Every structure is written in structure tokens, then in C-alpha cells.
Amino acid sequence: MRNIKLVLAYDGNAYHGFQRQANAMTIQQLVEERLQKIFGHPLTINGSARTDAGVHAYYQVVNFFTQGTIPAERIPLAAKGILPDDIVVVAATEETAEFHARCSAKSKIYRYRLVNTRIANPFERNYAWHFPLPLDVSLMHEAAQAVVGTHDFSAFRATGGAPVSPVRTIMAAQCRSTDNSLIEFEFWGTGFLYHMVRNLVGTLVQVGQRRLTPAGFAAILKGLDRHAAGMTAPAQGLYLVDVKY
Amino acid sequence: MRNIKLVLAYDGNAYHGFQRQANAMTIQQLVEERLQKIFGHPLTINGSARTDAGVHAYYQVVNFFTQGTIPAERIPLAAKGILPDDIVVVAATEETAEFHARCSAKSKIYRYRLVNTRIANPFERNYAWHFPLPLDVSLMHEAAQAVVGTHDFSAFRATGGAPVSPVRTIMAAQCRSTDNSLIEFEFWGTGFLYHMVRNLVGTLVQVGQRRLTPAGFAAILKGLDRHAAGMTAPAQGLYLVDVKY
């Protein structure tokens, strides 16, 4: 059996997230069904991360086992013919049997895009959070540094998530403005809790509005209380942009 | 009666073009129906240009007459509440009675976006032409200079268009690559024939592939024969980006 690793890019708008669900179309189900046509047998893909409904990926990694003989380097173009154009196979390689997209992942990077203009940009409506009030980018960047390190992220965890450890390690966090209107947050970490990035962004925006100080943001992290943190930023601004092995 | 000028930005994907049609939803119809709610009476908007189905605008200008009393500067935010989020009123001003969005326009600028990568970008599928073969940007820029000046553009005119003069004046034409994968064409002219920009781009791409020389491109323009020119580039790459008065 060959172990194939794919890098996928997808626009998440039309899907109910990555992971298979009973009654809604997901990235996983669609990719599995279509790849079956190339490989000639049913297959199951392991994703490096779940992405929620409406969340995007520039770099989602999956792997699967197959007896199919198509050379890995030909998979991207073969997949182009059978996948809808909002899901693209960017790269394909053959890995050793031990490789697992989720379990082998050492770290991931998520990016969150926010358009900070009074009037919305119609081309960004599905690809960023439109936030019309002024935001202080350097203050948000300063506050974001509090998450670097190993912390209990209970304050930024979705209520009702599966019972896993709330401790995660973040290697880097930044907030930058690439032009006058686009603000990008980026978090590089070993793992992320359900809704963690969107909850961090929703709270950092309070700092950007000067409704919360960087010290107040750090205190919320330490306080472990989800109710003290801000809103969950909308899904359409979030992108999985890298997975490192 | 007040004469109101609006600058609209819209994502054209969901509409059958700008101009009203009997049996399909267009930008014009939707904007007229929704603005009626702000101004309290039926109204008709004049657009600076028709845009085809799937064509976008960063800067489409319309005007209309109203007895409504809302201050012009409050229209963008009032419109935000009643328009779908793929159509945005970017600016509104009150003009003298003589102003007409189409007839008063002195020139317009169209941009055409092309993504030149072997593997498609799923986020660009509705916003650019994905062209997977190598293209020589400087050769396309050189060829495009042939259209600058006043010419009979019959070679780049859609067959079956309305019987108007095929002579138009182009002040500037360029093809540039803003990064390794995105190629942008821009045409600044007093007016454009139906499908003219898309036909120019479809033919310039032949130059970029070295299937046609810049001199051959100039000869097609001089030849006035639509059949000698290339394909009509797909609608989703085209943007109306400026109208000058």
C-alpha cells in the first residue's frame, strides 16, 4: 500500500467544514468521493486539522493509503479534472507508512484576515471580517505577545468542545497591517483548541479599539474564564496557511 | 429634484450583468428596487457603462433623480442596510442637474486580472482568468501599445453588437505582473465596444504564448476582421475600475 500526502487549498464557503458529517457536505466527504475515481477504490483521508464551516485553507495536509498506481506528481492535474474549482490539490508526494497528516504534524500556522474600512469591500465579504471602526494594530500586536509560550487556553476555548487538554504552545503571534485597510493576525503553534484563533482575534479587536489594555488581555488569558474574553470572530476570515512536519 | 451620483463596487458573479433584463436579476434592477426603500419612490439609475454577466466593478458610477431628503453623505451607510453584501455604495454626492453618469463620462479604465500558475488558486476562480501556460508579460505589454490612439476596433468587437461606430480612442494600455503569478492588463479609453477588452486580452495572450508577434497583433487591429483575433477572455477577470468626468 502507498501512503499519499496531499496539500489542499480550498475556499470553505460552500462547505460545512472539513470533517465528515451525517447530513451536510464537507471537504473531507467530497475529496474522498472524487479521489475514488482516480484511485479505483474507496478511501479515507486524514486531515491535519478540522476547519469549521466557512473557514479556508491555503495549505491543508491530508494523507491516505491506496493501491492505485498513478505517480504522485500526476495527482494534482488528475484531481483538477474531478474536483470542483473551489478545492485544489496543490501538491502530492509519496510518504513512508508512518506518516499521518494529523499525528505527524509538529506545528500549524493560522492566519486571520480583517478588512478595517468604514465601507465594506464586496470582494472580501467571504474572505475577511469587515470591521468598520478604527483599530490600533501595534497595540493588538503588543497584546498578542501574551499568548506566546505554553499556556492553558481555557479562556479562548469554545464552550462545549470535546474534553481535551486546554494547554497549547504558541511559538509566535503577530498582528500586522499590510496596507491601510487589511489587517492580518498570524498564530504559529503546536496545536489549537476549537475556535481558539477566532476567540483570540475577537478579543484582540477589543484591544485594538482601546476597550481593553494589553495587560487586561493577558489577565483574561490567565483567568481561564471564557466569559471574560471577547466574541468569536467570524469564520470567513480564518485560513489554515501552513502545517510543519 | 436632486441629482444623486453614486459610486458602486460590486462582485458581478451572482448577476446577469448591470443592465436591466426581462427575466434575470441584474445590478441595475436590484439597486433600483432597494434604493426605492431609502428614497420613498420608484427611481431609475443611469450607469456609466454596462458590465456583462460575471464582470465586476470597483468603481461603477450611476446617477438618479430624487425628491428624497437624505443627505448624500449618509447614503453609503443607509444603503449598507438594504443592499446585499456583494454590492456596496462606496460614495455618494449631489450633482448639478446636467450630470449624467454615462453621457458626462470623459473616460473609463478597465482592468483584467489573469492568474498565471500551473495549479489554479481556488480563491481566484471567480475573480481572475486562470491561464496555466507560461506567458511573456513584456511581450504582451509591447503588443498592447498598438491600441493606443484612435482606431477602428472592429477586429476586437463582439459579433452581433448594436450598430455603433467602431472607432474608439485609447489613451493608455499596459500589461504588468504584480507578482510571479498575477498578471494585470489595464486599458484607459474614452469608450469601449461590447467585449472589446476581453477580446483584446484573449488576443494578447496569444502574443504572451509567442503564437503571435506584437507586429502580428498590430496587423490584426488594422485588418478589422474579428475572425483574425483571439478568443474572448472569460468575464470573471474583468473589472471596471475608474470613470473620469
Side-chain angles (χ1 to χ4, degrees):
Chain A
M1 290 286 268
R2 301 162 68 209
N3 186 7
I4 305 290
K5 170 190 172 190
L6 303 182
V7 178
L8 304 180
Y10 51 80
D11 177 338
N13 277 298
Y15 302 95
H16 287 77
F18 179 83
Q19 194 173 44
R20 258 188 191 271
Q21 291 184 21
N23 298 311
M25 183 49 70
T26 64
I27 309 280
Q28 181 182 8
Q29 181 182 344
L30 193 135
V31 170
E32 288 175 347
E33 289 176 358
R34 301 293 173 92
L35 287 183
Q36 184 170 341
K37 297 181 189 178
I38 297 179
F39 293 94
H41 58 81
L43 48 84
T44 301
I45 62 174
N46 303 306
S48 74
R50 299 177 190 185
T51 54
D52 289 336
V55 172
H56 313 294
Y58 273 107
Y59 198 103
Q60 162 76 289
V61 177
V62 305
N63 79 295
F64 60 93
F65 289 88
T66 181
Q67 294 165 318
T69 56
I70 179 172
E73 65 272 17
R74 285 184 43 207
I75 296 173
L77 282 177
K80 181 175 157 63
I82 53 164
L83 285 172
D85 57 5
D86 53 4
I87 305 178
V88 171
V89 176
V90 175
T93 49
E94 193 163 340
E95 303 291 328
T96 58
E98 292 72 30
F99 177 81
H100 186 284
R102 185 172 65 256
C103 306
S104 306
K106 296 277 188 290
S107 63
K108 299 185 189 100
I109 299 178
Y110 281 95
R111 184 179 298 155
Y112 195 93
R113 300 178 75 245
L114 183 153
V115 172
N116 189 28
T117 51
R118 192 168 143 273
I119 299 291
N121 177 341
F123 300 103
E124 294 284 8
R125 71 193 189 285
N126 294 325
Y127 303 107
W129 183 13
H130 175 236
F131 195 87
L133 304 172
L135 291 171
D136 185 323
V137 172
S138 55
L139 213 54
M140 293 193 287
H141 181 75
E142 182 191 334
Q145 303 318 306
V147 306
V148 176
T150 301
H151 302 281
D152 179 330
F153 282 96
S154 291
F156 298 102
R157 178 185 194 171
T159 50
V164 295
S165 163
V167 177
R168 293 291 183 273
T169 298
I170 300 295
M171 280 80 84
Q174 70 168 344
C175 175
R176 63 180 176 226
S177 181
T178 55
D179 64 29
N180 285 332
S181 61
L182 179 67
I183 296 174
E184 291 189 340
F185 300 85
E186 225 168 77
F187 299 92
W188 175 30
T190 56
F192 294 86
L193 299 169
Y194 188 53
H195 281 185
M196 178 172 150
V197 174
R198 292 165 58 190
N199 291 340
L200 286 169
V201 170
T203 311
L204 286 170
V205 158
Q206 296 188 344
V207 176
Q209 292 182 274
R210 301 176 192 278
R211 294 167 50 203
L212 182 67
T213 62
F217 177 84
I220 288 173
L221 173 63
K222 282 214 173 62
L224 308 181
D225 177 9
R226 174 70 190 96
H227 302 291
M231 68 177 285
T232 305
Q236 79 272 10
L238 186 60
Y239 296 73
L240 176 57
V241 298
D242 203 3
V243 186
K244 298 177 191 291
Y245 292 94
Chain B
M1 291 285 269
R2 302 161 70 208
N3 186 6
I4 305 289
K5 172 189 171 189
L6 303 181
V7 177
L8 304 180
Y10 51 79
D11 177 339
N13 277 299
Y15 303 95
H16 286 77
F18 180 82
Q19 194 173 44
R20 257 188 191 270
Q21 290 184 22
N23 299 310
M25 183 49 70
T26 64
I27 309 281
Q28 181 181 7
Q29 182 182 344
L30 192 134
V31 171
E32 288 174 348
E33 289 175 359
R34 302 292 173 92
L35 287 184
Q36 184 171 340
K37 297 182 190 178
I38 297 181
F39 293 94
H41 58 81
L43 50 83
T44 301
I45 62 174
N46 303 307
S48 74
R50 301 177 190 185
T51 54
D52 288 338
V55 173
H56 313 293
Y58 273 107
Y59 197 103
Q60 163 75 290
V61 177
V62 305
N63 79 296
F64 60 94
F65 289 88
T66 181
Q67 294 165 317
T69 55
I70 179 173
E73 64 273 18
R74 285 184 41 207
I75 297 173
L77 282 179
K80 184 175 156 64
I82 53 162
L83 286 172
D85 58 5
D86 53 3
I87 305 179
V88 171
V89 177
V90 175
T93 49
E94 193 163 340
E95 303 291 328
T96 58
E98 292 71 32
F99 177 81
H100 186 285
R102 186 172 66 256
C103 305
S104 305
K106 296 277 188 291
S107 64
K108 299 185 188 101
I109 299 178
Y110 281 96
R111 185 178 298 153
Y112 194 94
R113 301 177 76 243
L114 183 153
V115 171
N116 190 28
T117 50
R118 189 167 146 273
I119 299 292
N121 177 341
F123 300 103
E124 294 283 8
R125 70 193 189 286
N126 293 326
Y127 303 107
W129 182 14
H130 176 235
F131 195 87
L133 304 172
L135 291 171
D136 185 324
V137 172
S138 54
L139 213 54
M140 293 193 287
H141 181 76
E142 182 190 336
Q145 302 318 305
V147 306
V148 176
T150 301
H151 301 282
D152 179 329
F153 281 96
S154 291
F156 298 102
R157 178 185 195 172
T159 50
V164 295
S165 163
V167 176
R168 291 292 184 272
T169 299
I170 300 296
M171 280 80 85
Q174 69 168 345
C175 176
R176 63 180 176 226
S177 181
T178 54
D179 65 28
N180 286 331
S181 61
L182 179 66
I183 296 173
E184 292 189 338
F185 299 86
E186 226 168 75
F187 298 93
W188 175 29
T190 57
F192 294 86
L193 300 168
Y194 188 53
H195 280 186
M196 178 171 148
V197 174
R198 292 165 58 190
N199 290 340
L200 286 168
V201 170
T203 311
L204 286 169
V205 158
Q206 295 189 343
V207 175
Q209 291 182 276
R210 301 176 193 278
R211 294 166 50 203
L212 181 67
T213 63
F217 177 83
I220 288 172
L221 173 64
K222 282 213 172 61
L224 309 181
D225 177 10
R226 173 70 188 99
H227 303 292
M231 68 176 286
T232 304
Q236 79 271 12
L238 186 61
Y239 297 72
L240 176 57
V241 298
D242 203 5
V243 187
K244 297 176 191 292
Y245 292 95

